[in-house]
């Protein structure tokens, strides 16, 4: 379980810097190198440039997440047989079969799909912020802003568990409403360490279908936040001097 948890987290942490560098390169560096002037000489609007650059960055990130996901799934599936070697041996010696153990392995493998998809939504959301920042600032500020937002947004999920004074609580609520909800786009603890069923309903245990329903709702939230961030970036890029 810890192996799967670390694999999912590494997929996010390896893709995040690539996303920041890519978003800076395709906008800010092109402006600094004057290659953006050649692009803008074509009959396209500035908002189309921002959208095109964003989708290009997201495509690169999606390819990386798929590659990391396949490697994590393959290694997790094979590692299970080594970690559970004693259980398989005990079951065979008692005349039992490893069907239940194999089912648990497949169940854990299927849990990687929604977990990695939610991680990709985090990257796509932060990519929208990074592209928006890149329309005005360079790599150093972009890294600082995106990493600060990423850390602060993850800390916001624990803010409700801490007793805060009234003014501080109001500030935290205001920040939480502006920052992306990273806690909404993270089910690693539930999917890796928790239980779920494939149809049977038990109190406090979600079904696999309910998990995908949640992923769908989280996707709607991510789309709205991405649209807001890109709209802000388009507004900043519209008044950016390219010469």
């Amino acid at each position: 379980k810890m192996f799967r948890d670390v694999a999912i987290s590494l997929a996010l942490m390896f893709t995040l810097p690539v996303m920041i560098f890519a978003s800076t390169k395709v906008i800010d560096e092109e402006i600094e190198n004057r290659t953006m002037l050649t692009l803008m000489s074509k009959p396209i609007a500035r908002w189309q440039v921002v959208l095109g650059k964003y989708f290009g960055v997201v495509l690169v990130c999606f390819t990386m997440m798929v590659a990391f996901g396949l490697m994590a799934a393959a290694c997790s599936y094979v590692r299970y047989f080594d970690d559970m070697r004693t259980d398989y041996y005990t079951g065979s010696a008692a005349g039992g079969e490893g069907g239940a153990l194999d089912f648990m392995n497949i169940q854990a493998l299927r849990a990687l799909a929604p977990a990695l998809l939610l991680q990709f939504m985090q990257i796509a959301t932060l990519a929208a912020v990074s592209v928006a920042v890149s329309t005005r600032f360079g790599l150093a500020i972009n890294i600082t802003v995106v990493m600060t937002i990423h850390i602060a947004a993850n800390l916001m999920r624990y803010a409700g568990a801490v007793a805060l004074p009234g003014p501080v609580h109001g500030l935290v609520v205001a920040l939480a409403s502006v920052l992306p909800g990273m806690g909404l786009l993270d089910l690693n603890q539930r999917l890796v360490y928790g239980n779920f069923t494939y149809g049977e309903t038990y109190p406090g245990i979600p079904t696999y279908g309910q998990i995908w329903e949640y992923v769908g709702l989280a996707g709607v939230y991510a789309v709205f936040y991405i649209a807001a961030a890109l709209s802000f970036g388009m507004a900043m890029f519209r008044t950016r001097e390219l010469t």
Side-chain angles (χ1 to χ4, degrees), residues 60-142:
V60 172
C61 295
F62 180 77
T63 303
M64 290 188 62
M65 291 296 291
V66 170
F68 280 120
L70 291 176
M71 287 189 292
C75 293
S76 175
Y77 180 80
V78 174
R79 182 188 177 95
Y80 182 86
F81 294 102
D82 183 66
D83 291 343
M84 304 298 291
R85 183 185 306 171
T86 303
D87 298 74
Y88 274 104
Y89 177 80
T90 303
S92 300
E97 298 180 356
L101 293 173
D102 291 336
F103 177 77
M104 292 174 62
N105 191 9
I106 296 299
Q107 184 184 39
L109 194 67
R110 292 181 64 178
L112 289 176
L116 287 168
L117 183 55
L118 286 171
Q119 295 283 56
F120 171 71
M121 290 181 191
Q122 292 188 41
I123 290 292
T125 302
L126 292 173
V129 176
S130 182
V131 167
V133 174
S134 298
T135 59
R136 283 287 181 175
F137 303 103
L139 178 61
I141 295 180
N142 198 351

Side-chain angles (χ1 to χ4, degrees), residues 29 42 56 59 79 91 121 131 151 153 176 200 226 229 232 240:
E29 284 194 17
K42 307 296 182 181
L59 181 60
R79 182 188 177 95
M121 290 181 191
V131 167
I151 294 172
E200 305 86 356
I226 290 169
F232 183 69
R240 174 73 185 269

Side-chain angles (χ1 to χ4, degrees), residues 192-213:
V192 175
Y193 298 102
N195 296 317
F196 59 89
T197 65
Y198 287 101
E200 305 86 356
T201 57
Y202 299 98
I205 301 179
T207 65
Y208 195 63
Q210 289 173 330
I211 290 174
W212 278 107
E213 289 176 8

